[in-house]
Amino acid sequence: MRKYDIYLINEEVAQHYFGQESKLFHLFLDETRALDDTKDIIKKQIEYISSPISVIELQQKLLQSFKHRTDYFFFDHAHRIHLTEPYSKAQLFIFPNYIHMVSDGSFEAETMFFEVMRKISPSFFALDVSTYRYGWLNPIKQVKLV
């Protein structure tokens, strides 16, 4: 089972940290390990570099994208995709400051959710602190200044 927290990073910060994703990841990792005094400071840093998520906009995009699918369900504030072949399931919970995803099996179901989020913004950053996995949902293109 995989668990991700997904944050919408400010575009300026995302551009600056392209290629240095491990620094962003370690900020979130430090927040999970910190003691109370430090935890509050790190939470404020995370709030500063991230943008609020438009819960209604994302829910509408998900409902619109998957309305014809019989393997998609929206119930009790959770978006779910359950594929049988290949076995893959994912649940998405949307909060104002982050998105939480739980998935199992192949990556198909979570990728379907990621595709919808990519269309909203290129600066969604997903991380799983328990397995040290992290990255952009949509790689940010670097601008070359010549």
Side-chain angles (χ1 to χ4, degrees), residues 67-85:
K67 67 181 176 186
H68 297 297
R69 297 192 63 99
T70 58
D71 48 13
Y72 167 76
F73 310 93
F74 177 58
F75 179 73
D76 199 24
H77 303 288
H79 297 266
R80 295 179 176 93
I81 295 176
H82 189 189
L83 305 173
T84 54
E85 201 53 46

Side-chain angles (χ1 to χ4, degrees), residues 8 11 14 117-124 136-140:
L8 181 56
E11 284 191 41
M117 287 185 267
R118 284 182 184 135
K119 292 175 184 173
I120 293 173
S121 174
S123 55
F124 277 107
W136 303 108
L137 295 189
N138 192 30
I140 298 166

Side-chain angles (χ1 to χ4, degrees), residues 33-129:
R33 296 178 172 172
L35 300 175
D36 291 340
D37 295 342
T38 310
K39 190 183 250 350
D40 290 338
I41 294 168
I42 296 172
K43 279 185 179 183
K44 287 180 182 173
Q45 291 173 333
I46 291 171
E47 287 174 15
Y48 182 76
I49 67 164
S50 59
S51 298
I53 295 166
S54 174
V55 175
I56 293 171
E57 178 188 5
L58 181 52
Q59 284 188 348
Q60 287 174 343
K61 296 267 187 198
L62 291 166
L63 291 167
Q64 182 65 30
S65 297
F66 302 126
K67 67 181 176 186
H68 297 297
R69 297 192 63 99
T70 58
D71 48 13
Y72 167 76
F73 310 93
F74 177 58
F75 179 73
D76 199 24
H77 303 288
H79 297 266
R80 295 179 176 93
I81 295 176
H82 189 189
L83 305 173
T84 54
E85 201 53 46
Y87 172 74
S88 179
K89 67 179 181 178
Q91 291 186 61
L92 195 72
F93 304 91
I94 306 167
F95 302 99
N97 295 322
Y98 72 101
I99 300 163
H100 183 71
M101 179 186 287
V102 178
S103 61
D104 197 24
S106 75
F107 295 96
E108 299 294 320
E110 68 193 50
T111 301
M112 292 168 68
F113 283 134
F114 290 162
E115 289 298 325
V116 174
M117 287 185 267
R118 284 182 184 135
K119 292 175 184 173
I120 293 173
S121 174
S123 55
F124 277 107
F125 187 72
L127 57 127
D128 179 355
V129 293

